[in-house]
Amino acid sequence: MNGGLLVAGTTSDAGKSVVTAGICRWLVRQGVKVAPFKAQNMSLNSFVTREGAEIGRAQAMQAQACRVEPTAHMNPVLLKPGGERSSQVVLLGRPVGEMSARGYHGGRQERLLGTVLDSLAELRATYDAVICEGAGSPAEINLRRTDIVNMGIARGAGLPVLVVGDIDRGGVFASFFGTVALLAPKDQALVAGFLVNKFRGDVSLLEPGLDMLHGLTGRRTYGVLPFRHGLGIDEEDGLRVSLRGTVRESVVAPPVGEDVLRVAVCAVPLMSNFTDVDALAAEPGVVVRFVDRPEELADADLVVVPGTRGTVRALEWLRERGLADAIVRRAAEERPVLGICGGFQLLGAHIEDEVESRAGHVDGLGLLPVRVRFAREKTLTRPVGEALGEHVEGYEIHHGVAEVSGGGPFLDGCRVGQTWGTHWHGSLESDGFRRAFLREVAAAAGRRFVPAPDTSFAALREEQLDRLGDLIEHHADTDALWRLIESGAPQGLPFIPPGAPA
């Protein structure tokens, strides 16, 4: 078997990442050697592979669904927004420069088609099947000429296309029909059919509409996936705790101790790797929320200043909103504060940035004895160490180089009292360390909170991925899906006018 499939969507957030992960987990449970692929990802949530390459976290999670190690070939182009109109371009895991949207779509993107097709060919030579994820909608007629992630990659590699639609938003039939009708004839020939996502209610009431859609387009629907709470995987972007709420949507286990622990995460601009707090949200009795006002820190037992693609901009934002003063007061009162990556940098005494913001010399919050200098070379590593007597693993993605001149040691960063700072993302996923850290936080906050002794973050992720696989296995036509992956789009699919504009 040397199969492949492109999972496209009628819109952004239609469920492409979740469906791709679900198909991957379903296939691997059938004994298929499978890999995920996304030619171009735009996200501030990224991950470092074992070879030191930076890729989107969604593709890293999809690789976990496949039970394989992620590689740069699974996400050869990653765009990391640095503002409204520019992004850092990461090519095969390494940053190659900043570029405006106009410059990227004006020619650079089109030149990358060969690179992404080579990466896809490398995966297809290694795996039995490659499940590809598109981006946004394949019917962005203004961007089709330079497209390398939707129909560009489908046509270049001869992949069948499955279009996912979020019926919970409404208008799914119009979205399915319109998506096909705005594609050129050669693109339409690859669109095999549809998958309805997030359906609530009686499927029998939907079936007449699916029959009508088949009559209008000549294309079948491969499944109707029911709405399920808390099914997200690591998000590309957004303000949502991806593992459980999801927190507000799913059943939260009661605390083991007498008290809950309240965690406030500062929703800084260009927030990156906010998935760091997923492991906290997975703990029974830990309540995580994102905040943007100083009064929301008042009852927090722990304040987290997360990573950001714009450290200086985030620092200015904290000061403008009064959050900076509130954090400084907390530190003076020995109330816990944790800074991760960019959040760690702005807790320091001084920042010298001629790379990211080009702001030059900037004073930090002065809570940690750290001076940060931004280097043009990005640090991309997977460190392993020990803290609070526990084994810890993480990953680093940053331009800022920290010079620590005091305080206690903490994951290559430092701590002063109850203010902690580290460049390590993902450290809280180490179960023993997370429990030890939460015990320290609870003691400092005066809370009778006790971490659950048996919470395994890795096991929770596996359960999540199995739930996605179950969703495909139980609610999609897996025989038809298998034929599609193995043999490609059906022959003789009709053209739906008007097609793409000239």
Side-chain angles (χ1 to χ4, degrees):
M1 180 180 183
N2 184 18
L5 174 70
L6 176 70
V7 178
T10 56
T11 61
S12 295
D13 203 30
K16 297 182 292 291
S17 296
V18 166
V19 168
T20 299
I23 293 173
C24 286
R25 178 49 62 101
W26 162 66
L27 283 172
V28 81
R29 294 195 308 207
Q30 310 309 307
V32 178
K33 188 180 178 185
V34 60
F37 178 80
K38 186 164 185 173
Q40 172 193 293
N41 203 343
M42 177 172 280
S43 178
L44 288 173
N45 283 334
S46 57
F47 183 75
V48 179
T49 67
R50 293 205 181 279
E51 68 267 28
E54 184 180 8
I55 66 171
R57 275 199 66 97
Q59 280 61 64
M61 184 62 78
Q62 289 162 357
Q64 186 174 344
C66 298
R67 297 179 179 143
V68 298
E69 275 292 322
T71 71
H73 288 304
M74 295 174 183
N75 179 207
V77 180
L78 173 63
L79 305 179
K80 303 193 72 175
E84 293 295 326
R85 297 186 179 182
S86 67
S87 294
Q88 182 181 65
V89 181
V90 179
L91 182 61
L92 291 173
R94 295 290 173 180
V96 294
E98 297 279 336
M99 187 165 290
S100 69
R102 181 177 293 275
Y104 184 68
H105 290 286
R108 177 63 182 269
Q109 183 182 34
E110 195 172 12
R111 292 194 296 273
L112 291 174
L113 181 59
T115 300
V116 300
L117 286 172
D118 287 346
S119 286
L120 178 56
E122 178 79 18
L123 293 175
R124 297 187 80 178
T126 307
Y127 294 90
D128 299 329
V130 179
I131 307 303
C132 308
E133 180 188 343
S137 162
E140 305 289 356
I141 54 179
N142 55 316
L143 302 177
R144 176 61 185 91
R145 182 180 62 82
T146 58
D147 171 52
I148 64 170
V149 66
N150 289 307
M151 301 314 300
I153 196 78
R155 201 192 293 189
L159 294 171
V161 178
L162 185 68
V163 180
V164 178
D166 179 356
I167 197 169
D168 199 47
R169 295 182 176 191
V172 74
F173 292 116
S175 297
F176 281 146
F177 183 87
T179 296
V180 179
L182 283 176
L183 299 179
K186 289 184 178 179
D187 288 346
Q188 286 196 22
L190 295 173
V191 178
F194 314 106
L195 187 73
V196 177
N197 192 27
K198 299 183 183 178
F199 178 73
R200 306 174 192 249
D202 185 347
V203 175
S204 66
L205 298 177
L206 183 67
E207 287 171 348
L210 301 179
D211 292 339
M212 294 179 209
L213 182 66
H214 184 270
L216 289 167
T217 66
R219 290 158 174 85
R220 59 166 299 169
T221 298
Y222 283 76
V224 178
L225 307 185
F227 188 96
R228 292 285 187 268
H229 288 290
L231 272 184
I233 63 170
D234 288 13
E235 304 290 334
E236 292 187 353
D237 283 302
L239 274 184
R240 189 163 63 177
V241 182
S242 63
L243 184 66
R244 222 181 54 192
T246 83
V247 172
R248 285 181 290 271
E249 294 182 350
S250 58
V251 176
V252 179
V256 175
E258 297 179 47
D259 288 343
V260 299
L261 210 59
R262 296 172 177 84
V263 179
V265 185
C266 296
V268 297
L270 299 174
M271 183 166 48
S272 61
N273 290 74
F274 60 85
T275 47
D276 282 331
V277 300
D278 282 0
L280 296 178
E283 282 286 347
V286 176
V287 180
V288 176
R289 66 184 189 274
F290 291 90
V291 304
D292 60 4
R293 295 179 300 180
E295 57 268 27
E296 294 178 294
L297 304 188
D299 67 344
D301 303 307
L302 169 66
V303 169
V304 177
V305 187
T308 171
R309 173 86 163 83
T311 300
V312 171
R313 179 176 169 185
L315 183 58
E316 293 170 349
W317 182 86
L318 290 171
R319 285 175 167 146
E320 289 167 359
R321 289 178 170 260
L323 284 160
D325 289 339
I327 292 170
V328 170
R329 286 194 300 271
R330 286 186 63 91
E333 296 166 359
E334 292 290 311
R335 301 176 67 196
V337 176
L338 171 64
I340 302 174
C341 200
F344 163 47
Q345 295 166 5
L346 61 81
L347 293 180
H350 188 78
I351 299 168
E352 184 180 339
D353 183 9
E354 299 293 349
V355 176
E356 194 175 74
S357 68
R358 298 181 176 86
H361 300 280
V362 177
D363 289 332
L365 296 186
L367 302 181
L368 294 173
V370 176
R371 297 175 67 88
V372 176
R373 176 185 55 82
F374 276 71
R376 297 200 176 276
E377 187 72 20
K378 183 183 280 192
T379 297
L380 296 167
T381 63
R382 291 271 293 270
V384 177
E386 185 176 296
L388 302 179
E390 299 286 347
H391 176 78
V392 190
E393 297 182 16
Y395 57 99
E396 295 186 46
I397 305 169
H398 54 91
H399 284 281
V401 179
E403 179 187 327
V404 179
S405 59
F410 180 65
L411 300 178
D412 293 341
C414 67
R415 65 172 291 190
V416 173
Q418 289 299 321
T419 300
W420 316 63
T422 177
H423 273 133
W424 291 25
H425 294 290
S427 62
L428 294 166
E429 296 177 19
S430 298
D431 297 328
F433 166 71
R434 182 180 65 255
R435 294 183 194 116
F437 178 69
L438 289 176
R439 282 192 291 268
E440 287 246 359
V441 169
R447 296 288 186 188
R448 290 170 295 183
F449 168 85
V450 178
D454 56 354
T455 301
S456 167
F457 188 72
L460 288 172
R461 275 188 162 163
E462 279 297 302
E463 288 174 13
Q464 194 83 330
L465 293 169
D466 277 331
R467 290 179 69 197
L468 297 179
D470 291 344
L471 206 64
I472 297 299
E473 186 172 340
H474 298 154
H475 299 283
D477 185 338
T478 51
D479 289 340
L481 199 57
W482 185 282
R483 290 193 298 272
L484 189 62
I485 294 168
E486 192 173 35
S487 305
Q491 297 297 307
L493 291 169
F495 171 74
I496 307 302

